[in-house]
Amino acid sequence: MRNLSFSRGSENLKWGVLFILLGACVLSLSAQGRSLLSGKVLSSDKGVIDFATVYLKGTQYGCTTNEKGLYHLKAPAGKYTLTVSAIGFETVEKEVEILADGRSKQNVILKPSVTELDEVVVVSNGVGRIKRSAFNAVAVDTRELQNSTKNLSEALQKLPGMKLRESGGVGSDMQLMLDGFSGKHVKVFIDGVPQEGAGTAFDLNNIPVNFAERIEVYKGVVPVGFGTDALGGVINIVTNKQKRNWFLDASYSYGSFNTHKSYVNFGQSFKNGLTYEINAYQNYSDNNYYINNWVEEFNHENNTSVSDESNIQRVKRFNDTFHNEAVIGKIGITGKSWADRLMFNVAYSHFYKEIQNGVYQEIVFGEKHRHGYSIVPSVEYRKQNLFTKGLDVTVTANYNHNLTTNVDTAMYKYNWLGDRIPRSTAGEQNHQFSEQINTNWNTTLTAVYRLGKMHSFTFNNVFSTFRRTGRSLIEKNSVLEDYDEPTKSRKNIAGLSYRLMPSEKWNLSVFGKHYNSYSEGTVQLSDNNVGSDTRVSQNVSSFGYGAAGTYFLGKAIQLKLSYEKALRMPSTQELFGDGDLEAGKADLKPERSDNVNLSASYNKQLGKHGLYVEGGIIYRNTQDYIKRDLSTVGGTSYGSYTNHGRVETKGFNVSLRYSYSNWFNMGGTFNNLDTRDKEKKRAASSGQNALTYGQRIPNIPYQYANVDMNFYWHNLFAKGNTLTFGWDCFYQHDFPLYWENFGDPSTKIRVPQQISHNLSLGYSIRNGRYNISFECRNLTDEKLYDNFSLQKAGRAFYGKFRVYFGNNTSVNFYRKIKS
C-alpha cells in the first residue's frame, strides 16, 4: 500500500486568484437609507416562480426571485408601481407603498399566458439561475428539442466547450469532451445523484432527450454540492419535479439502419401528496451503415489470407446490432410537513451489443458480442427548513447491481465482406465467455443553511463503494483479468462551502474538499500492462479547495472568475480494466490540477430582438495526467492508461445567440484548446529530456465549432399549431493521432478535418399535444470520424411522432435557448 498525498501547486496562481475573489468582500454593504420590500411570486396553481423579474416602474430599483420564488428589493420609502414578469406568464402591475419604519410585504400571483410570447425571448427559469451563479456553468433547456430524435449527449453539443466523441452508431462507446477533458474527467449526475455503475442503458448517448427538463454543465470548478472528484467538470441531468395532476408523454421514431426508438413517461400527483411516475425507453439499431476500409482477401482452398491495405472498398457493417431497454418506477409522497419529497425508485435496464471491430477499424469481428442487465433501487428525501428555519436537507442513496456477459468464442476469422475462414484457436480477440458482476453503493448528504439573506453554508458528503466479481464459463478467461479474487474500492468525498450574497450585483463562494479512497484488485501486470498476475492496492487521502465569484455590470453584463485545487482519483476501469477491450494499470496515481476559469457574458433584449454573447478563458495545470493510449500485445489491441507527468491546457470559447421575437433564432459556439506536454524529463530521477516536451497531447480535438438556425411559424393552418424548421452544422479541425512532431509530416496519421450538416422539420398541433418531425443527418454524406479510423454513419433519415397530455403542454415549448 502507498499513501499518495496532494502536493503543492503553483502558489502564485493559487493566492493570486483567491485574493482577487476575496477582495470583493470589501465592497460596501450599506443600504444607504433604503427600506425593504419583499414577498413571493407564485403561479396560479401555487407553484413558485424562480428568476421572475421584479422592479419598481420608472425607477432603477429591481431584482429577480430566487429558487424559492422569493424576492427582496431595497428602495427609498414611498409609493410605487410594482411590476412582475416571467416567461410564459402575464405581467402584473400593483400599487405598493414602501414604509420607512420597517419591512413591507407583497406577494404576487401570475397567470399563465399563451398569447403574449411575441415579445418574450429570455432564458427559462432553471437555465437562468445556473447562468447567474458564480461558477462557470451553462445549461440547455431540452424542451424545444423533445420532438427530435436526439439523445442527451447530442443535446449537449450546442454548449460552449462541449464535444461528443463516438466510436460508431447507436449504442457505441462515447466520450464527452469538456474544455479539453474527457472520459472519467467529467462526472455525470441525474438530479444530483452520481451515476457511476448505473449500466450501459443509462449512458448519455442512450438516454432520449425527453428524459430531461434541462442539462446543467459545470466546467472545471465544481460546487461542493456534487461531492465529486471531477477535474473536467460535472454534467447534471435535471428531470421535471413539478407537481402535475396527470400527464403522459409518449413518442416513437424510426429511421435509417433499421433504427427504432420509443419513449413513454406518465405519472400523477394526488391532493394527499401521493405521487407516482413511470419512465421507460428503448433503442434498437442494426447500425449496418457503409464505411470505407481495406479488405483482407480469403483463399478458401487452403484457408489463407492476403492483406492489401491499398484495396479500399465500400463495405457494410454486419455485426453491430445494439438494443437496450430501461424502465424506471417512482412512488412517494410530496408536500408534507415532514418531507417536501420522499421518493422510492427502482430502475431496470437490459442491453445487447454486437462488437464489430476493436480499437482500430481494420480489426474485424464477426460474432463477438456482450449483453447484460442492471437493477438500481434508490431513495430520495428532501426537506426545506428541517428542524429550524433556513436548514434544507437532501439525502439520497442508491445501489447498482450490474451484470455483463462477454462472449468471444468463434472459431473463425472474418473480413469486412462478412466472409470467414476457420482458425485453429477459439476467440476473435481473446477466447472468453465470462460473467462480470459490478455492485456499487452511493449515498449522499447535502445540507444547506441560510443565515439571513446574505450568508449560506453548504455541507456535502458522498460515500461510494465498488466491487467487481466474475467467473469464466470456459476453462480459460480473458488475458486481461483474473476473476478469482474480487476487485473493490471505496471512496468518500466531503465538502464545505460558504456563500456571501450581499446584493443582486455580486456574490462569492469559497469551499474546501477532503478526498479519501482505497482500491484493491488483481491485474495481469507487466511492462505493457498485460502478463503476470499481481495483487495491488492503493490508498489516497488529500485536500482540495477553491473559490468562485461573479459581478454584474449593470443589468446586461456579467463577469465570473473561479479557481479550484482539484483531484481526480483513477476510476476502477483505469485501474483494473473492463475484462475485455480495456487494460488496467493498477499503479496509476491520482490526477491533481489547478483549474482557473474567467468568463464574461452580455444579455440584452431590445424589443423583439434578443442578443446573448459569452466568452470564456480556461487554464488547467494538471499533474499526473491520466492519458488513454492504444496498445497491441501478441497481435491483440487494447485501450490502456498511463500517467503522463505534467500537462497544461489553455483555451477559450465564444458563443453567440440572436433571436427575433418568437419566430427566429440562430447562434453558435467556437472552441479552441491547446493541451500540451509540460514534463521536461522522461522520469523524475532521469536527467534525460523528454522528446515530447511542448507538443500537443495526441488524439484530442483542439478546434471545433457549431452553428444552428431555427424558424417558427405559429398558428399555421390553425390556432395553436406551429411549423418549425432547423439547420445545424458541426465543424472539427484535423488533429494528430500520435505525437505531432514525430515522423514524416507527409505520412503522419491524422483524424481529418470534417464538417457535417443536419436538417429538421416539425409540425406541432394543438399547442404541442400532437407532434410529428423529420430529420436528415449528415446531409452531404461526409466521412466523419471522432476517433481515428472508426468511421461514423453517412447520410441518414429519421421520423418521429410524439403526443403529450397533461399540464404544461405548450406554453414553454418554444422558448429560445440562450446558453
Side-chain angles (χ1 to χ4, degrees), residues 194-236:
Q195 294 303 293
E196 294 182 55
T200 299
F202 293 102
D203 289 343
L204 289 182
N205 59 332
N206 294 326
I207 303 177
V209 72
N210 303 64
F211 184 84
E213 181 179 63
R214 70 179 183 273
I215 312 171
E216 304 171 349
V217 178
Y218 293 83
K219 306 199 293 182
V221 181
V222 179
V224 299
F226 289 106
T228 184
D229 58 335
L231 278 187
V234 158
I235 296 171
N236 186 33

Side-chain angles (χ1 to χ4, degrees), residues 58 63 75 160 178 195 244 255 281 286 305 366 443 446 450 525 568 592 610 615 654:
C63 64
L178 177 57
Q195 294 303 293
R244 293 173 283 180
Y281 60 88
D286 289 338
S305 62
T443 60
T446 304
R450 301 180 305 279
L525 185 67
R568 184 184 77 86
R592 296 154 293 130
V654 179

